[in-house]
Amino acid sequence: GENVEQHPSTLSVQEGDSAVIKCTYSDSASNYFPWYKQELGKRPQLIIDIRSNVGEKKDQRIAVTLNKTAKHFSLHITETQPEDSAVYFCAASDSGGGADGLTFGKGTHLIIQP
Amino acid sequence: GAVVSQHPSWVICKSGTSVKIECRSLDFQATTMFWYRQFPKQSLMLMATSNEGSKATYEQGVEKDKFLINHASLTLSTLTVTSAHPEDSSFYICSAGKYGEQFFGPGTRLTVL
């Protein structure tokens, strides 16, 4: 089955700086790679996703890059703000996110220092 | 939009009892729903895939006789934790796929005493 590795487990950055979280996956059939933000006790919230037919996607301060050859994808957050503090999870699926469940990374606790 | 609800949001039960958790897609039909479990400070782990009108598919290591899943309609899937024990205490989250992405329910916090 799919295995998703995520690094780092904790990331502390100064407010206004950029944050980068990296994930690798094992199953070459995976074609859907979402990123979720989760606050304590709440459901995961999709912040951005990318499919295997593109290499990069951006939405305001958030961007995701995908390297299918190397089987890794990364989340980039620029101009970080205190409200960005949360746990972030990457995930992978081989069905475009609809028909099959997601395999999650172990999460990154992002701390934005004021 | 695509809204998924869960009930109850939290439940406390005694060891040995069974607990049922409902997952509903409120504004769309979901032939497939997913159940995840999340222990404190850990990631979400897929437990099973719930298919409307057929048997659920369980991930390796998940006891199908302990975690009973019923997907009786296109908008409702239920997870029953049978003979619950303290080690089953966790955050259970369901999701359904729509528009090529997963929509998550708010989760159910289960505490087994």
Side-chain angles (χ1 to χ4, degrees):
Chain A
E2 175 66 278
N3 182 48
V4 177
E5 298 283 341
Q6 183 172 346
H7 299 280
S9 57
T10 303
L11 178 60
S12 180
V13 301
Q14 289 294 124
E15 181 179 351
D17 288 350
S18 296
V20 180
I21 303 171
K22 299 182 179 181
C23 287
T24 61
Y25 61 98
S26 62
D27 188 351
S28 57
S30 290
N31 58 18
Y32 176 64
F33 307 94
W35 284 90
Y36 293 91
K37 176 183 181 182
Q38 188 181 33
E39 297 178 350
L40 192 63
K42 297 192 176 181
R43 78 185 87 192
Q45 175 190 357
L46 178 70
I47 56 171
I48 197 166
D49 57 11
I50 192 167
R51 299 179 193 273
S52 58
N53 56 345
V54 296
E56 185 174 358
K57 184 177 178 181
K58 189 174 181 180
D59 182 5
Q60 300 183 351
R61 298 187 296 111
I62 296 173
V64 56
T65 58
L66 171 64
N67 183 324
K68 284 218 72 178
T69 302
K71 293 186 194 159
H72 67 70
F73 55 113
S74 300
L75 176 70
H76 305 253
I77 305 175
T78 59
E79 300 172 16
T80 53
Q81 301 168 3
E83 53 265 35
D84 294 330
S85 294
V87 179
Y88 291 79
F89 293 97
C90 63
S93 170
D94 62 0
S95 69
D100 290 314
L102 297 166
T103 300
F104 284 84
K106 291 191 174 181
T108 296
H109 185 192
L110 177 62
I111 302 165
I112 308 302
Q113 303 279 4
Chain B
V3 180
V4 177
S5 71
Q6 273 183 250
H7 178 81
S9 56
W10 60 268
V11 57
I12 300 173
C13 69
K14 292 182 178 180
S15 184
T17 60
S18 295
V19 174
K20 180 184 284 188
I21 302 170
E22 294 185 347
C23 176
R24 293 182 185 272
S25 55
L26 298 185
D27 53 359
F28 66 102
Q29 293 182 333
T31 56
T32 304
M33 291 183 173
F34 306 96
W35 287 96
Y36 296 85
R37 180 167 54 181
Q38 185 176 31
F39 291 110
K41 297 187 178 181
Q42 293 189 25
S43 186
L44 287 84
M45 295 292 293
L46 179 65
M47 298 175 65
T49 301
S50 173
N51 303 296
E52 188 269 334
S54 64
K55 291 183 179 180
T57 303
Y58 292 82
E59 295 299 303
Q60 192 172 9
V62 177
E63 300 175 58
K64 62 180 181 181
D65 294 330
K66 180 171 184 62
F67 299 99
L68 302 179
I69 292 173
N70 187 302
H71 196 148
S73 77
L74 289 172
T75 59
L76 173 64
S77 175
T78 60
L79 168 68
T80 301
V81 183
T82 63
S83 187
H85 291 285
E87 56 265 32
D88 298 321
S89 297
S90 188
F91 192 48
Y92 292 87
I93 311 175
C94 69
S95 74
K98 185 73 173 177
Y99 311 123
E101 67 176 86
Q102 297 269 324
F103 292 89
F104 287 89
T108 297
R109 174 76 57 193
L110 170 63
T111 301
V112 185
L113 302 176

